[in-house]
Amino acid sequence: MDFTYTPEQQQLRDAVAALGRSFGHGYFVAKAKAGEHTTELWSEAGKLGYLGVSVPAEYGGGGGGITELAIVCEELAAAGCPLLLLVVSPAIAATVIARHGSAEQRERLLPGFADGSLTVVFAITEPEAGSNAHRLTTMAHRDGDDWVINGRKCFISGVDQASAILVVARTTDSATGRLKPALFLVPVDAPGLTKSKLDMEIVSPENQWLLYLDDVRVPAGALIGDEDAGLPALFSGLNPERITVAAMSAGTARYALSRAADYTATRAVWGRPIGTHQGVAHPLAHAQIQVELARLMIAKAASLYDAGRDGEAAGAANMAKYASAEAAALAVDTAIQVHGGNGMTTEYGVATLLGAARAGRIAPVSREMILNFVAQHVLGQQKSY
């Protein structure tokens, strides 16, 4: 593998980092605590083309891949203002539609993804299913030319910021009678769709929602692709999800360690900076190493995905997500510790990262399920669950 960025990728990284710094963590926290959204940052990132870097050029996007989108996710997080909706809208929804949508769907939807004017969130998780996607109970059935959807979804990010929701439901195969997944684009104002906000202990401008779909009727064109496209469409979005979540975690870890390094280099106790003590410096150095290792796996996973090597990308994406979540949790915890009491204040900007960093070990796939995947698909062990 080539471990250097192209000149264009480096320019993208530098430009996104500059944009992130112009807003900063203070802006992010203020918006989150006020119950507001980072609309200004999202709008500016859209105008500059950063939200659409992975959208095909013929639809107004940057024509790049998940590598470029991961760069955007990481650098905004490294500036202290991660955008979670980058994961669900450009990474998942836009990728699914670009790969599996009809020609009409691509023409109609992808330009909005490219400039950020269209935001689509992703709804797969259900209260009773947990990590077992085979237990999804949201169902869709034909009624004339329409589809009617019934079910519940939970932990759906950013519904109040979206135009539409990409809903994973199950349909009945007419030939075999077996249930199979299908993806539907449901407007947020569709009759029969209601939402309830979940109270979360995470400092984030993106809210989490419970969704209730009661006889939600959508036209035939709401089905992404055809009736057999559900499973490949679903998986085409999950690997980018893992890669971009990993990139956000790595960026968060970099931000935490940067704040910690600045603090320990200048905070003088007993006559010299506390960073001169190995008890402070070594934990930071250890966390830094874990972050850099995770970033290598992110780069590998994104490269494999962009090369169309989906089977290999799946393993690498899961490993990248695991490694980055662990590194972020370690980095944030270490950064808080070296700040002492200051680490728990809002002013020093590290405790505000704690909830999101910890959530990265759970969502969008738990560390335990990743270990199951690696054991089964990489090490050849029998399925354990």
Side-chain angles (χ1 to χ4, degrees):
M1 289 184 64
D2 185 353
F3 293 101
T4 60
Y5 293 106
T6 66
E8 293 77 14
Q9 289 170 340
Q10 188 58 54
Q11 289 170 8
L12 175 65
R13 186 176 289 280
D14 293 342
V16 175
L19 173 65
R21 288 193 299 270
S22 73
F23 285 85
H25 192 58
Y27 161 83
F28 179 88
V29 172
K31 287 289 185 179
K33 292 194 172 184
E36 299 174 357
H37 305 307
T38 49
T39 307
E40 300 86 355
L41 175 55
W42 181 270
S43 177
E44 190 64 21
K47 289 177 185 177
L48 294 170
Y50 302 150
L51 305 181
V53 289
S54 59
V55 174
E58 59 265 38
Y59 301 105
I66 296 302
T67 296
E68 284 73 22
L69 188 57
I71 287 172
V72 175
C73 291
E74 182 182 347
E75 290 305 321
L76 288 177
C81 43
L83 293 179
L84 178 58
L85 290 189
L86 277 168
V87 174
V88 292
S89 194
I92 301 176
T95 301
V96 167
I97 291 166
R99 281 199 168 197
H100 298 279
S102 66
E104 185 277 332
Q105 288 168 339
R106 294 195 299 271
E107 289 284 349
R108 175 166 52 91
L109 299 169
L110 289 178
F113 284 111
D115 63 17
S117 61
L118 175 65
T119 302
V120 177
V121 296
F122 183 60
I124 184 171
T125 309
E126 294 186 4
E128 303 304 324
S131 297
N132 187 355
H134 297 290
R135 293 188 61 188
L136 295 181
T137 59
T138 298
M139 298 293 296
H141 69 269
R142 282 274 196 184
D143 184 18
D145 291 333
D146 296 339
W147 288 92
V148 178
I149 308 172
N150 284 280
R152 293 188 300 162
K153 299 290 181 181
C154 64
F155 297 115
I156 310 306
S157 305
V159 177
D160 54 334
Q161 298 172 257
S163 306
I165 306 163
L166 190 61
V167 175
V168 181
R170 301 177 84 185
T171 63
T172 302
D173 191 303
S174 57
T176 66
R178 299 179 64 181
L179 296 176
K180 59 183 181 181
L183 280 71
F184 298 89
L185 200 63
V186 178
V188 293
D189 59 356
L193 174 65
T194 56
K195 64 182 186 294
S196 176
K197 184 180 173 183
L198 286 164
D199 292 327
M200 306 292 291
E201 296 298 326
I202 296 175
V203 178
S204 173
E206 292 92 8
N207 296 314
Q208 299 295 315
W209 298 89
L210 285 166
L211 298 182
Y212 306 90
L213 299 101
D214 297 308
D215 290 331
V216 173
R217 182 177 293 270
V218 293
L223 176 67
I224 302 302
D226 58 35
E227 293 187 42
D228 294 321
L231 193 60
L234 179 59
F235 279 105
S236 73
L238 293 182
N239 286 336
E241 175 191 49
R242 283 148 175 66
I243 294 167
T244 50
V245 165
M248 284 182 58
S249 291
T252 296
R254 286 173 51 203
Y255 176 80
L257 291 176
S258 174
R259 295 299 296 258
D262 288 346
Y263 182 81
T264 56
T266 57
R267 170 70 168 168
V269 179
W270 296 299
R272 58 180 179 171
I274 60 175
T276 61
H277 301 291
Q278 291 179 352
V280 173
H282 282 186
L284 289 174
H286 173 62
Q288 179 69 29
I289 291 168
Q290 301 310 304
V291 173
E292 290 303 316
L293 290 172
R295 294 180 73 204
L296 286 175
M297 186 53 76
I298 295 167
K300 178 179 180 179
S303 177
L304 288 170
Y305 186 86
D306 290 339
R309 295 162 64 178
D310 289 355
E312 295 168 89
N318 276 283
M319 292 183 197
K321 193 272 177 186
Y322 180 99
S324 296
E326 297 299 305
L330 174 66
V332 171
D333 185 68
T334 304
I336 292 171
Q337 188 67 25
V338 300
H339 275 82
N342 287 332
M344 299 306 297
T345 67
T346 302
E347 176 186 356
Y348 283 83
V350 285
T352 46
L353 308 171
L354 190 58
R358 185 60 183 82
R361 301 175 78 198
I362 300 169
V365 58
S366 71
R367 63 194 299 274
E368 290 76 19
M369 289 305 295
I370 290 177
L371 293 173
N372 284 335
F373 180 94
V374 172
Q376 181 181 350
H377 296 284
V378 179
L379 298 175
Q381 304 304 299
Q382 291 187 22
K383 191 174 181 179
S384 62
Y385 57 97

